[in-house]
Amino acid sequence: MGFGSLLHAELSATSAPPESLSRSLQAPHLNTTVTSAQAAHHDPAAQASHHHIIFTSKPHHPTIPHLPHITSTTTATMTSLAACKTLSRTPLMIRDAKWVTLKHTTYLDAAGRTRTWESAERTTRPSGCALDGVGIIAILNSPSTPPSLLLQKQFRPPVDAICIEVPAGLIDAGETPSECAVRELREETGYVGVVREGEKGVSCLMYNDPGMCNTNTVLVHVDIDLEKPENKEPKPQLEDGEFIECFTVPLARLWEECKVWEKKGWAVDARVATMAEGIEVARKWGVGA
């Protein structure tokens, strides 16, 4: 389950179109495949970005020719991310909140003065666990193509926008970060991956917005071998209310694509943008060369 899926809006049963369709979004350097319930409506955002929306059972991928088509088994009804929008926004009483809570903290500052701070916390972190969830750096490997990053598009109500994200999810009680990453990757994308061995397989603990909340995560590096039989026809196992499009982008073009997505009005997750900036810094200063 993704970080934001616990806060998804309830979808009206009458809002879904009756058609059952699947689609592939394509571009010269960006490969996209729908993974959930998406696409009976025409997608103007995709058209504006020169993605060709083709309703097929086997898409063509110019950059990764053998990238399998991803389909969802959660529902036969397809809808469009472009149809998503925030309908209202009202104050939330703490007694009515299911997944978050507010905290009033009293602390001493560096000068010894007593101060207070308002912040938010998730209520979903397992007891005794110091981690909320994981983000997944999933690299698709194929002998005939450059390394590409597996990303997702989904609508996020808090920012009222389609977001570009890495696959991610909340950790379950008793899980290790690596186990959580492999499980979430398969559930959200259908791919079976292997966590990179050694200490570089899992990042340090990261705090997403420490001035606002105590939510944290680690990034888990997972390799996906497209030559393996289990990755030929990946089938996600999305939960009700999850609507996710998976696509790939060559790592070498990630920074440029972030700029393109921003111009389209899409929100770029900080983990994706930070990774792109890291690649550019390494390229500029020759780090790791």
Side-chain angles (χ1 to χ4, degrees):
M1 179 180 293
F3 276 111
S5 60
L6 291 177
L7 298 173
H8 71 264
E10 294 294 334
L11 299 178
S12 169
T14 60
S15 63
E19 298 89 342
S20 296
L21 299 169
S22 65
R23 68 176 178 178
S24 167
L25 284 77
Q26 305 169 16
H29 53 266
L30 186 65
N31 304 315
T32 310
T33 306
V34 170
T35 66
S36 81
Q38 303 164 28
H41 294 301
H42 182 63
D43 190 339
Q47 182 187 44
S49 66
H50 299 98
H51 291 176
H52 303 292
I53 303 176
I54 302 174
F55 296 86
T56 62
S57 58
K58 272 288 184 180
H60 169 63
H61 297 276
T63 308
I64 301 183
H66 304 296
L67 183 65
H69 179 49
I70 307 174
T71 57
S72 172
T73 58
T74 56
T75 176
T77 302
M78 298 299 176
T79 59
S80 171
L81 287 180
C84 297
K85 62 181 178 180
T86 298
L87 300 179
S88 66
R89 194 183 302 274
T90 59
L92 175 65
M93 302 299 292
I94 294 299
R95 63 174 179 272
D96 298 325
K98 295 180 180 180
W99 317 117
V100 295
T101 188
L102 296 178
K103 295 292 183 178
H104 185 269
T105 301
T106 302
Y107 71 102
L108 287 178
D109 69 9
R113 290 188 295 265
T114 300
R115 295 184 181 275
T116 61
W117 198 281
E118 296 176 0
S119 62
E121 290 185 4
R122 290 182 176 276
T123 60
T124 53
R125 185 184 297 181
S127 177
C129 181
L131 181 66
D132 284 306
V134 305
I136 304 164
I137 307 300
I139 306 299
L140 280 71
N141 296 315
S142 175
S144 59
T145 59
S148 294
L149 179 66
L150 181 62
L151 294 174
Q152 297 179 339
K153 286 167 58 180
Q154 57 181 317
F155 179 76
R156 293 301 195 183
V159 296
D160 193 24
I162 292 173
C163 292
I164 306 298
E165 310 171 354
V166 295
L170 299 174
I171 196 166
D172 287 342
E175 274 189 321
T176 66
S178 294
E179 291 169 343
C180 179
V182 171
R183 173 182 58 78
E184 286 288 349
L185 181 69
R186 186 157 197 172
E187 290 176 1
E188 292 191 354
T189 74
Y191 281 113
V192 177
V194 177
V195 176
R196 190 163 300 175
E197 294 183 359
E199 62 181 14
K200 292 188 178 180
V202 180
S203 75
C204 66
L205 189 64
M206 304 177 183
Y207 287 86
N208 301 349
D209 189 353
M212 171 67 180
C213 62
N214 71 342
T215 300
N216 59 30
T217 185
V218 294
L219 292 178
V220 181
H221 295 258
V222 178
D223 292 324
I224 300 174
D225 186 351
L226 295 179
E227 302 301 312
K228 289 188 174 182
E230 58 264 37
N231 290 325
K232 296 295 184 182
E233 295 290 339
K235 293 180 173 57
Q237 303 163 14
L238 298 174
E239 298 185 7
D240 182 43
E242 284 189 311
F243 300 88
I244 299 173
E245 293 181 12
C246 285
F247 66 97
T248 64
V249 61
L251 282 173
R253 288 198 54 84
L254 184 58
W255 191 89
E256 289 84 355
E257 290 301 331
C258 284
K259 293 294 186 179
V260 172
W261 300 327
E262 183 182 33
K263 289 180 180 178
K264 292 176 182 175
W266 297 343
V268 181
D269 185 276
R271 287 163 291 190
V272 176
T274 301
M275 191 187 319
E277 293 295 334
I279 292 173
E280 288 306 301
V281 169
R283 181 179 295 161
K284 177 178 180 180
W285 297 101
V287 179

